[in-house]
Structures are given as C-alpha cells and as structure tokens.
Amino acid sequence: LKAYASDLLGKVDQSFSIMRRIFLQAQPLEGERLKRIVYPEGEDPRILQTAQEVVNLGIGKPVLLGRPEVVEPLIRDLGLGFSLGDEVELIN
C-alpha cells in the first residue's frame, strides 16, 4: 500500500517523484549520523522551506549560508519550526 501511494503521488507530480527518490536515498541508516547539506543561498525563502522539509523528514542537517539579520526574521515570518544551532546550522 505504501509503495502504491508513493507511485500514485509520483504520477501526479513528476518533480515530487524525483525528489522522493532523492529523499529516500538520503535517509540515514540506523545509527548513522545525519548528513550535512549545505545551502549557499540560505537567505532565500524557498531554501528555508526546503531546510524545514529536510528537518521534518529527518534526512539531514541543513547548513545555511547567510546573514543572521536576514535569515532569522525570515524564519519567523515564514512560521518555520526549526531552530538555528540545534537542527539547522547558520554560517555567516
């Protein structure tokens, strides 16, 4: 049933299908540390939302490159639930 649902979603949205395969491959094995994923455009709202999805899915630890004075207000304005330092690293 799980495979059928995934296949159905993949047919609905081709980009979802591609991203789903990437996410499944990126998930850490049991006992393995989360992979760090660097996002050079950490001030882009789309990148921040992607970082939230990575945290939600538990597939990695996002590393954002950006200015704290720009990124922190964006996180609040977008209503994202991750915290800088713990779940997501920010490098100025």
Side-chain angles (χ1 to χ4, degrees):
L1 186 60
K2 190 175 183 179
Y4 173 72
S6 181
D7 185 53
L8 249 176
L9 284 172
K11 290 178 182 176
V12 172
D13 184 356
Q14 190 65 24
S15 64
F16 175 82
S17 176
I18 293 167
M19 292 307 296
R20 178 83 176 143
R21 279 184 284 175
I22 292 170
F23 285 157
L24 288 174
Q25 289 177 346
Q27 286 182 331
L29 300 173
E30 191 171 326
E32 187 179 50
R33 287 183 54 199
L34 291 176
K35 294 172 180 80
R36 295 173 74 208
I37 305 168
V38 178
Y39 297 97
E41 296 180 13
E43 297 178 4
D44 185 325
R46 295 172 297 174
I47 297 300
L48 294 174
Q49 291 168 332
T50 301
Q52 179 68 65
E53 281 301 308
V54 167
V55 169
N56 290 348
L57 294 171
I59 61 171
K61 180 175 181 174
V63 178
L64 303 172
L65 303 183
R67 298 168 290 176
E69 64 271 12
V70 174
V71 174
E72 290 169 351
L74 277 173
I75 291 170
R76 282 192 305 274
D77 293 347
L78 294 169
L80 301 176
F82 62 79
S83 59
L84 292 174
D86 293 333
E87 300 166 313
V88 177
E89 186 179 343
L90 177 63
I91 297 176
N92 188 355

